[in-house]
Structure formats: structure tokens, C-alpha cells
Amino acid sequence: NIGHRQTFADLCEMVSSLANKNEGIVELEKYFNQDKNFETYQKQNSLCTVVQSGLDLASATILNCVLQLQSNDVIKIADCGCGENGIIDRIDEPANVKIEVYGIDIHTNIQNRSISPGNLSFHPIVSDMEAVLNSGDYHQHFDVILFNFSCLKNDITNNIIGAHNCLRDGNSLLLLSDLSARFPEKFEEMMKENGFLFKSSKNRDKTKLFCFTKIEVHQKTNIILRPYVQA
């Protein structure tokens, strides 16, 4: 876990220190495509307690959503920064509803995931999650958007704006999990100004999961997470 936290901290520092977002993505792609860094990082992810706690909390929340759906309904989930150990590994195939998981990650390895013809399917999108969410291609497309330890940059404003555009009006949910220490004071108020009303939060180990519902944007405000620190 210590090795993974150091790796994640290094990546956060690298991306946040670059003023140009596109330059940051290029550097990240370079890192993940050399010396099997992506595979090593994903293996650490699967063993890291805080990351797995985020997935556990998120999957429980998604299950509650599924139970409220009617027969033959479809729930579409965007797993932003899914990697090789995303939320789809925590979801059992439902009997009466369909779940479509859209995994967004910059590494091509996610294309190797099998796509089930049943009620649970996986659709890989190889691209930067911020670019996908703000592209306009998925306007009001998703019922749930998840960020689980995938916000490498401290400034997540564009991710939140993009998520608001991509979530359907109504009972759609934004789930955001990370180390509790990263969330600033008045985080819930910042999110409300950007169109997300606090619904609930859960804690496990050092991980905190926030659940928000989509509302009208009040006033766009910059949302800056605290720097990632070893905890």
C-alpha cells in the first residue's frame, strides 16, 4: 500500500504541476506505456485498501439504484479512470434490468475486457476522461458517473462541469471517492454551486465516498482538492 500511495502521489504531482492539460495527458501516457508501468500500477491498485474501499462503497450505492429500477430499464454508468480493476468487477449481472458500464481510461489495455451479451456489458472508451466528459458526445447519457481515486489533478473543476453535462436530468448520481484528507472544507457547498446537491457520504478506512444528485447550476466555482499526501 505504501508503494502504491507513493506512485499515486508522484502521478498527482506530475499532472498538477503541468500548466498545459494536454501536456499532462501526454506525460501520463508515456508513463503508463513504458516498462509495464500500467500493469504494475493496476496490480498495486487491486491490493490497495483505500482504492478497494472506494469501489466497495460505490458498488453498494449503485446496487441501491438498481433495486429501485423497473423491469427492462437500462442504467448507464461511466467509470472514469476505470483501469483494469473498475466498478464492473463489483457488479453482479442483474436479472430484470440492464447495466451498461462505460469504462474511460487513457490506456488501451481496457479494450481487452470482454463485453457480455447479457444484462451486464462493458464498453471501453480509450481517452482522457476530462476530454470525453466535455466533448458533447455523451450529453445527458449517463445515470451514474463514478470517479474512484481517478482525479490525479487537484483542480477537478472541468471534470465536474463535464459530469454535469453528461448526467441525465432527474435522479442521476455523481459518485466521487478518494482519501478523506483530499476533500476541502465546504466541499459540499462548492459542488452545489456547480449543480450537484449532496445526498450522502460514507467512510471506510481512510476513504470517503460522496454521493450527489444533479440539480441546476447556481454559479460555476473552481473546485480544488487538497494535494495527495501519504496517509
Side-chain angles (χ1 to χ4, degrees):
N1 285 356
I2 293 175
H4 177 270
R5 289 199 297 270
Q6 183 59 55
T7 301
F8 193 83
D10 291 343
L11 290 173
C12 288
E13 183 178 356
M14 177 186 73
V15 174
S16 294
S17 64
L18 294 169
N20 186 292
K21 181 183 77 66
N22 292 328
E23 183 183 351
I25 297 304
V26 170
E27 290 299 317
L28 206 56
E29 288 176 338
K30 282 183 183 178
Y31 175 84
F32 278 141
N33 281 290
Q34 58 183 287
D35 299 328
K36 295 187 176 181
N37 283 336
F38 185 76
E39 290 82 355
T40 301
Y41 179 72
Q42 293 302 319
K43 184 178 292 185
Q44 291 175 334
N45 250 358
S46 67
L47 299 174
C48 186
T49 303
V50 291
V51 175
Q52 296 308 306
S53 292
L55 288 173
D56 289 341
L57 294 173
S59 61
T61 303
I62 291 172
L63 176 60
N64 289 333
C65 297
V66 172
L67 293 176
Q68 297 173 21
L69 294 175
Q70 302 298 317
S71 179
N72 299 321
D73 278 349
V74 178
I75 180 170
K76 296 183 178 181
I77 303 170
D79 187 357
C80 298
C82 62
E84 294 182 323
N85 303 284
I87 194 65
I88 193 167
D89 293 329
R90 291 292 202 283
I91 302 175
D92 294 326
E93 183 171 348
N96 299 322
V97 300
K98 291 186 177 181
I99 299 179
E100 298 178 0
V101 177
Y102 292 74
I104 307 173
D105 205 289
I106 63 173
H107 202 284
T108 57
N109 275 23
I110 64 171
Q111 293 178 315
N112 298 330
R113 295 298 300 265
S114 60
I115 300 177
S116 170
N119 286 343
L120 177 62
S121 59
F122 181 77
H123 307 269
I125 303 174
V126 180
S127 185
D128 168 44
M129 64 185 185
E130 184 179 318
V132 172
L133 295 175
N134 289 283
S135 67
D137 295 339
Y138 296 92
H139 180 66
Q140 295 198 18
H141 187 79
F142 298 112
D143 301 286
V144 179
I145 292 180
L146 168 65
F147 297 95
N148 181 58
F149 283 84
S150 55
C151 296
L152 296 181
K153 293 198 302 182
N154 297 328
D155 186 345
I156 63 170
T157 308
N158 288 335
N159 284 328
I160 299 304
I161 292 173
H164 193 275
N165 292 331
C166 291
L167 281 169
R168 292 173 176 166
D169 294 334
N171 296 320
S172 58
L173 297 177
L174 173 65
L175 306 179
L176 206 163
S177 59
D178 213 302
L179 283 184
S180 302
R182 290 200 76 194
F183 296 106
E185 294 181 12
K186 299 184 178 180
F187 179 66
E188 296 169 20
E189 289 86 342
M190 295 177 189
M191 292 292 290
K192 185 176 181 179
E193 290 179 347
N194 284 275
F196 287 104
L197 181 65
F198 173 79
K199 183 176 182 180
S200 64
S201 64
K202 298 178 181 179
N203 294 276
R204 180 183 292 182
D205 301 317
K206 298 170 184 177
T207 301
K208 186 162 189 173
L209 171 76
F210 279 97
C211 179
F212 297 93
T213 56
K214 179 181 176 180
I215 59 174
E216 184 179 349
V217 175
H218 290 232
Q219 177 182 349
K220 291 183 179 179
T221 304
N222 288 340
I223 303 178
I224 314 294
L225 298 183
R226 295 188 178 115
Y228 189 94
V229 293
Q230 293 191 36

